[in-house]
Amino acid sequence: MAVSAYAISTSAAKRRGRPNALDVEAKNAVIRAAALEVFASKGFQGASIVEIARLAGVTRRTLYARYRDKRALLLDAVKGVIDERLQHYDLDGAASAEEALLEIAADITVRSPSAPLLTRIIIAEGGNFSHDEAPLGRAGRDHLLQQLENVFAELIRKDMLPPANTAEAAVLFTDMVLASGIMSLLTFAPDGTIEDLLAPRVAFFCAGFAGWAQRGG
């Protein structure tokens, strides 16, 4: 569900009573979108909770009720982009694992409205944003791998892929398809669409999956 940080409805805020889960998640999505915009333009050090709150249309108190600090907000915004893209695609509508994985790869890399912002943040902050926990890039990758494990488990359950180690499958897919696809986009302007760029990588991955799984993958 895509939520714009620039067109925020105030109808939910005007309703009385305790907000339901959908209202809470909708507001969280708006906050995450605003946070990505501010972090991408100002950097982590330059970003202000006040500015993020203003862009999201909430109070600073509301932000601090959800996030203890800027680090927690940035990590949640990064993870939110990943969750949004992987939950956006319905595996029940896929004719094959290759079709499903191509759609997911395209969604994660460029189709998401937040993808360019997320890429800029990871590049700018990924190596330095460590503090007492894992670097931002590692935290985002770990969360992505967890979600991709669920995707591969579901594809295997639907007999669209042979049984395999889902954790290792997620790592292979990330390295062979997502990482190489993003690097290609950053280093040259390909002819055609993003699907044209990713399709051969996804096809190669799927063609070798059965043999890799049989060898104990």
Side-chain angles (χ1 to χ4, degrees), residues 17-210:
R18 186 176 185 139
N20 60 38
L22 290 177
D23 290 335
V24 171
E25 179 49 35
K27 180 173 286 188
N28 288 343
V30 170
I31 292 171
R32 288 193 295 264
L36 284 175
E37 177 68 25
V38 175
F39 283 127
S41 62
K42 301 293 181 64
F44 180 76
Q45 297 300 330
S48 162
I49 286 289
V50 172
E51 185 175 0
I52 294 171
R54 184 184 304 116
L55 184 59
V58 300
T59 65
R60 184 172 59 176
R61 181 176 180 179
T62 297
L63 276 187
Y64 279 120
R66 287 167 164 77
Y67 305 102
R68 67 180 183 275
D69 52 28
K70 285 197 299 183
R71 174 185 173 82
L73 175 53
L74 178 53
L75 287 174
D76 189 57
V78 169
K79 293 176 180 179
V81 173
I82 295 169
D83 290 343
E84 175 190 319
R85 303 324 298 167
L86 290 180
Q87 293 172 7
H88 169 76
Y89 188 71
D90 182 7
L91 292 176
D92 290 333
S96 66
E98 185 172 333
E99 178 185 309
L101 292 174
L102 178 57
E103 288 293 311
I104 288 171
D107 273 350
I108 291 174
T109 53
V110 294
R111 280 186 189 161
S112 167
S114 302
L117 298 179
L118 180 59
T119 301
R120 286 167 58 188
I121 292 169
I122 292 293
I123 291 173
E125 308 288 350
N128 302 317
F129 188 75
S130 54
H131 300 280
D132 297 326
E133 300 178 28
L136 177 63
R138 175 66 60 82
R141 177 183 169 87
D142 288 348
H143 190 68
L144 172 62
L145 291 175
Q146 291 172 4
Q147 299 300 82
L148 284 173
E149 275 193 64
N150 296 333
V151 170
F152 280 105
E154 183 67 6
L155 290 173
I156 290 170
R157 188 186 70 80
K158 292 178 177 296
D159 294 323
M160 299 172 77
L161 286 174
N165 184 309
T166 55
E168 293 182 11
V171 171
L172 281 176
F173 184 74
T174 300
D175 292 341
M176 291 176 61
V177 178
L178 300 181
S180 64
I182 290 173
M183 284 304 299
S184 294
L185 289 170
L186 290 174
T187 54
F188 71 96
D191 295 329
T193 66
I194 182 59
E195 287 82 357
D196 296 330
L197 177 67
L198 293 172
R201 291 172 166 82
V202 174
F204 181 78
F205 174 84
C206 290
F209 192 92

